[in-house]
């Protein structure tokens, strides 16, 4: 299968090179990227979730080239390939070419660079989504969000944690929350997944414009973890930055994946126990509550 999406002649400034000057002053890098995946489903159905959004791919490449620094073009190409495979579960192979138009060579040259191919077995990414509600019929809001999540194209709802009631965290002058965590598997990128979560929030009546930070809301969906991906962009931060501070996240998460290593290096089940002693949280219903 040779279908591919290609992005050619991408130009980004970066600090990559063996000499101290190249590490200090940025110069342009030129990249060609080929993303190998089966394009037939998207071709037949004309739906974006069945393929890789090349705008997202562009941003992933740009982030690696402009935010990191390597001695070798080999290392830069490796990092770009690795990052693309991490962000897009649909990819089975990537080809990355990196050229340095201003390479320090002693005479005239047309182009110099490296090209690598990296492949793997395609499988969906596992992700954990945190859900909360403290306005209206909270239990129903969470159930509706889970139903919407399970109907989201490219998302499979694997398991739902028990239902918790928790005292409000951050701002205490508001009603108690109901919280849970869902384990999903998905072929969506973390960007597309977050966009789907925001869409569900909106459909369930969330109006961010009229809300205060950490204030009351009918529904809140947070992307807690996406495989072991670390991302820090304006709209998406992974792992979720406040995950380990919150009993209402860690307790249900520890029910689903007790042995998971949290971003602070602790085992989920141990950390849940500690936070459970410090914050007010109570399990109100066991597994399967969302199905009745
Ligand atoms: N991992 C993430 N999960 C959800 N939203 C995220 C994430 N990383 C960044 N964001 C961004 O955060 C913005 C604000 O999210 P939200 O209103 O849910 O914050 P909050 O629930 O008030 O606070 P907190 O982020 O502490 O839970 C969203 O628009 C989203 O773009
Ligand atoms: N107990 C609890 N407290 C919160 C919650 C939440 O889901 N549960 N969500 C918040 C903002 O998203 C702020 N505070």
């Amino acid at each position: 299968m040779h279908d591919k999406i290609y992005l050619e002649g991408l130009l980004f400034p970066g600090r990559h090179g063996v000499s101290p000057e190249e590490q200090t002053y940025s110069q342009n890098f030129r990249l060609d990227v080929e993303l190998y995946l089966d394009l037939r489903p998207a071709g037949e159905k004309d739906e974006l979730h069945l393929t890789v959004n090349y705008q997202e791919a562009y941003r992933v490449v740009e982030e690696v080239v402009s935010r990191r620094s390597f001695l070798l073009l080999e290392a830069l190409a490796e990092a770009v390939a690795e990052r693309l495979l991490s962000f897009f579960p649909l990819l089975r192979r990537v080809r990355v070419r990196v050229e340095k138009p201003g390479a320090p060579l002693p005479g005239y040259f047309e182009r110099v660079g490296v090209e690598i191919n990296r492949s793997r077995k395609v499988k969906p990414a596992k992700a954990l989504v945190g859900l909360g509600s403290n306005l209206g019929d909270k239990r129903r809001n969470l159930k509706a969000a889970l139903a919407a999540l399970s109907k989201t194209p490219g998302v499979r709802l694997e398991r739902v944690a028990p239902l918790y009631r928790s005292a409000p965290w951050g701002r205490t002058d508001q009603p108690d929350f109901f919280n849970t965590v869902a384990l999903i598997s998905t072929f969506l990128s973390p960007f597309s997944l977050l966009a789907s979560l925001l869409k569900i929030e909106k459909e369930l009546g969330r109006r961010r414009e009229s809300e205060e930070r950490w204030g009351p809301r009918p529904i809140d969906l947070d992307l807690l973890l996406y495989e072991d991906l670390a991302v820090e962009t304006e709209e998406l931060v992974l792992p979720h930055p406040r995950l380990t501070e919150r009993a209402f996240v860690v307790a249900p998460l520890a029910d689903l994946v007790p042995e998971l290593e949290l971003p602070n290096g602790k085992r989920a089940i141990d950390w849940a126990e500690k936070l459970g002693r410090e914050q007010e949280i109570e399990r109100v219903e066991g597994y399967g509550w969302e199905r009745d």
Side-chain angles (χ1 to χ4, degrees):
M1 196 253 297
H2 297 296
D3 296 354
K4 68 183 174 197
I5 296 173
Y6 53 90
L7 293 92
E8 285 184 357
L10 306 179
L11 216 53
F12 301 113
R15 293 186 173 84
H16 313 283
V18 175
S19 74
E21 296 77 56
E22 292 184 297
Q23 290 277 316
T24 310
Y25 304 105
S26 64
Q27 62 180 313
N28 273 333
F29 291 81
R30 188 184 174 285
L31 288 95
D32 302 319
V33 171
E34 295 181 2
L35 310 172
Y36 290 84
L37 70 159
D38 184 2
L39 297 180
R40 190 190 292 267
E44 288 179 351
K45 291 233 168 77
D46 202 15
E47 291 173 15
L48 184 58
H49 73 92
L50 297 172
T51 184
V52 169
N53 181 336
Y54 51 68
Q55 292 173 317
E56 292 183 6
Y58 180 98
R59 290 166 50 199
V60 169
V61 177
E62 178 180 33
E63 188 215 30
V64 177
V65 181
S66 63
R67 303 253 297 258
R68 297 180 61 180
S69 179
F70 298 98
L71 298 177
L72 305 180
L73 292 180
E74 288 84 340
L76 175 59
E78 197 72 48
V80 169
E82 190 265 330
R83 202 80 175 141
L84 287 166
L85 292 172
S86 302
F87 270 78
F88 304 106
L90 286 170
L91 292 182
R92 41 182 281 292
R93 177 155 82 91
V94 296
R95 178 195 301 249
V96 178
R97 279 167 65 91
V98 184
E99 294 175 358
K100 192 188 270 186
L105 292 178
Y108 172 82
F109 67 98
E110 291 274 332
R111 40 204 350 161
V112 61
V114 304
E115 174 176 318
I116 63 169
N117 279 278
R118 295 292 177 266
S119 60
R120 55 117 183 254
K121 228 180 105 206
V122 171
K123 67 169 172 40
K126 291 255 190 292
L128 286 154
V129 176
L131 299 94
S133 169
N134 78 332
L135 282 184
D137 187 335
K138 305 170 203 176
R139 187 178 186 278
R140 212 179 70 173
N141 292 340
L142 294 183
K143 275 183 70 168
L146 289 164
L149 197 54
S150 73
K151 286 199 201 101
T152 300
V155 171
R156 201 179 123 132
L157 189 57
E158 299 282 353
R159 278 187 313 139
V160 178
L163 179 64
Y164 285 83
R165 185 192 61 76
S166 61
W169 179 102
R171 272 193 49 183
T172 51
D173 57 336
Q174 56 175 327
D176 279 353
F177 277 82
F178 274 15
N179 289 104
T180 193
V181 166
L183 173 67
I184 63 170
S185 54
T186 184
F187 282 110
L188 299 181
S189 73
F191 295 126
S192 308
L193 180 57
L194 179 65
S196 300
L197 299 184
L198 298 178
K199 187 161 161 265
I200 294 172
E201 288 182 344
K202 205 165 180 189
E203 283 164 4
L204 292 179
R206 174 118 183 236
R207 295 287 169 266
R208 285 163 181 282
E209 320 77 68
S210 53
E211 268 175 15
E212 293 178 52
R213 189 174 193 213
W214 297 337
R217 68 254 336 249
I219 193 72
D220 184 32
L221 299 177
D222 287 335
L223 184 50
L224 305 172
L225 292 164
Y226 182 101
E227 291 287 336
D228 55 0
L229 197 60
V231 189
E232 212 159 316
T233 64
E234 231 157 71
E235 80 242 65
L236 177 64
V237 183
L238 282 172
H240 191 286
R242 287 162 290 282
L243 186 163
T244 52
E245 299 166 43
R246 300 171 162 179
F248 67 83
V249 172
V250 180
L253 188 153
D255 290 329
L256 292 179
V257 261
E259 302 298 325
L260 183 78
E261 185 180 325
L262 297 175
N264 62 2
K266 309 287 186 193
R267 233 169 34 129
I269 183 162
D270 301 331
W271 199 244
E273 208 216 321
K274 177 189 136 62
L275 293 181
R277 280 185 259 115
E278 299 169 356
Q279 299 174 24
E280 191 191 327
I281 180 158
E282 170 197 12
R283 186 189 288 187
V284 289
E285 285 182 67
Y287 287 104
W289 65 270
E290 80 284 3
R291 283 201 290 266
D292 63 23

